[in-house]
Amino acid sequence: MSVEEGLISGRLTLLRERPAYIVPVVLAASLFVLPFVTTRYVHSIVIIANIFAIYAMAWDILSGYTGYMNFGPSFFVGAGAYVVGILTVNFGVPVYVAIPAAFVVSIVTGLIVAYPSLRTSGVYFTLITILLPLLGLKFVTIFSGYTGGRLGLQGLPLLSVMESYYLSVVFMIVTFLALYWLAASDFGLVLRSIKANELAVASAAINPTKFKVGAFVVSALFSSLGGIIYAFYVGIVAPSTTIDLHISIVLIIAAVIGGTGTIYGAIGGAYFFIVARELLSPLGDIRFAFLYAFALVVVLIFPKGLTRFAWERTKEIVEGDADD
């Protein structure tokens, strides 16, 4: 039996033993079929939901697993979007060069920010991360000749809706698989241990700062990935849709609604928030009051998150029936 056949056989065995896992597989597969049975309007909603799912999962691998509340992920969303925008629009750099450059900038910036900030904790770490998007907005304003200022940088290579749709679906799934694997590894175990008792981790001769920095950089990298996809989808990089602190708040709410410390919870939370936001759009800005109030209710009634609750119930129902 070849390696590929062995992997396929292992997946089929898992599905037979744990039939509940068929549900997420079907949901993921349905995303590839959805464009053929829905309108462009639905496509646009799914694209944004996928992008915010990437944002929320990136946030979860750091904050959901370590307990360090990061309020600055939009800084790295904006970093990825602005780097590809500045390089392609202002300097004519090819896309295949600009994207790796954006990843390098995100990694380097993540390291620069992570080392000093993660030596603090609690409110001090949170304050530093809140300041990141505010600092980013200042840079956008100061270097408006390159960034377009408040109006944004226009003229990026624009993908079609279908290209953006499938790109967002593929990278949302890739992000989930990568981060879920990382969370299930020894690396993820250390992150969960840090959340439970960081002093105990340090006393076990494990350097918690090294793992926190690693999680911070991974979070920054995937946040920038979402920003890059968004930039090529809309063809413009504006501070209000990338680097603004409000973007951080929305993606954090999405992760909390879905269930932190799970990775998969962020996907459900992002889809719920983006779809609900769109359905309530006739209400104008007051819709956010309803969404924020709902998030508060979820935290109080479903502290583990709606996606996590739904998944656990699904396993009980499907696998319970399978055992009967």
Side-chain angles (χ1 to χ4, degrees), residues 247-323:
I247 303 299
S248 290
I249 301 300
V250 170
L251 69 89
I252 291 171
I253 290 175
V256 171
I257 288 176
T260 60
T262 62
I263 303 299
Y264 67 82
I267 300 175
Y271 264 80
F272 179 89
F273 189 94
I274 297 302
V275 172
R277 186 180 69 176
E278 191 61 32
L279 292 175
L280 295 174
S281 59
L283 299 178
D285 288 341
I286 198 173
R287 59 182 166 162
F288 290 104
F290 287 104
L291 289 170
Y292 297 155
F294 179 80
L296 180 60
V297 171
V298 169
V299 171
L300 295 175
I301 300 178
F302 302 100
K304 291 184 177 181
L306 285 179
T307 307
R308 189 171 183 176
F309 173 78
W311 173 236
E312 290 175 353
R313 288 292 297 150
T314 299
K315 288 195 293 184
E316 289 176 7
I317 295 171
V318 175
E319 295 177 2
D321 290 342
D323 293 336

Side-chain angles (χ1 to χ4, degrees), residues 11-12 14-16 18-29 311 314 318-319:
R11 298 296 184 273
L12 292 175
L14 174 63
L15 292 178
R16 284 195 297 268
R18 305 296 297 273
Y21 283 86
I22 296 175
V23 175
V25 171
V26 170
L27 290 176
W311 173 236
T314 299
V318 175
E319 295 177 2

Side-chain angles (χ1 to χ4, degrees), residues 46-316:
V46 174
I47 291 169
I48 298 301
N50 287 334
I51 291 172
F52 269 88
I54 293 173
Y55 295 161
M57 286 187 284
W59 178 86
D60 196 34
I61 193 64
L62 172 64
S63 298
Y65 279 82
T66 67
Y68 277 70
M69 289 301 297
N70 175 18
F71 280 89
S74 61
F75 175 83
F76 296 101
V77 170
Y82 271 104
V83 170
V84 295
I86 291 171
L87 290 179
T88 56
V89 174
N90 294 332
F91 298 100
V93 175
V95 171
Y96 60 84
V97 175
I99 292 177
F103 288 148
V104 170
V105 170
S106 297
I107 292 172
V108 172
T109 306
L111 286 170
I112 293 172
V113 173
Y115 271 110
S117 64
L118 286 170
R119 293 183 179 277
T120 65
S121 61
V123 66
Y124 301 104
F125 173 78
T126 301
L127 178 60
I128 291 173
T129 60
I130 288 176
L131 292 175
L132 284 177
L134 302 180
L135 182 63
L137 287 173
K138 288 297 182 184
F139 275 110
V140 168
T141 302
I142 293 171
F143 298 101
S144 59
Y146 294 99
T147 65
R150 291 284 180 176
L151 297 178
L153 182 64
Q154 303 183 35
L156 277 77
L158 188 62
L159 297 175
S160 69
V161 174
M162 291 301 290
E163 288 173 332
S164 298
Y165 179 91
Y166 282 109
L167 190 67
S168 71
V169 169
V170 169
F171 278 105
M172 184 272 288
I173 293 174
V174 168
T175 299
F176 166 72
L177 293 175
L179 295 183
Y180 192 79
W181 170 82
L182 189 63
S185 67
D186 291 341
F187 183 85
L189 176 61
V190 174
L191 296 184
R192 290 191 295 273
S193 300
I194 290 172
K195 184 176 182 178
N197 191 332
E198 187 170 345
L199 291 177
V201 173
S203 65
I206 297 174
N207 183 359
T209 300
K210 180 176 68 174
F211 286 87
K212 290 184 295 182
V213 169
F216 194 101
V217 171
V218 169
S219 178
L221 178 63
F222 281 96
S223 295
S224 69
L225 171 63
I228 292 169
I229 296 173
Y230 183 82
F232 289 130
Y233 168 53
V234 298
I236 181 173
V237 182
S240 61
T241 55
T242 55
I243 207 166
D244 194 273
L245 183 61
H246 175 71
I247 303 299
S248 290
I249 301 300
V250 170
L251 69 89
I252 291 171
I253 290 175
V256 171
I257 288 176
T260 60
T262 62
I263 303 299
Y264 67 82
I267 300 175
Y271 264 80
F272 179 89
F273 189 94
I274 297 302
V275 172
R277 186 180 69 176
E278 191 61 32
L279 292 175
L280 295 174
S281 59
L283 299 178
D285 288 341
I286 198 173
R287 59 182 166 162
F288 290 104
F290 287 104
L291 289 170
Y292 297 155
F294 179 80
L296 180 60
V297 171
V298 169
V299 171
L300 295 175
I301 300 178
F302 302 100
K304 291 184 177 181
L306 285 179
T307 307
R308 189 171 183 176
F309 173 78
W311 173 236
E312 290 175 353
R313 288 292 297 150
T314 299
K315 288 195 293 184
E316 289 176 7

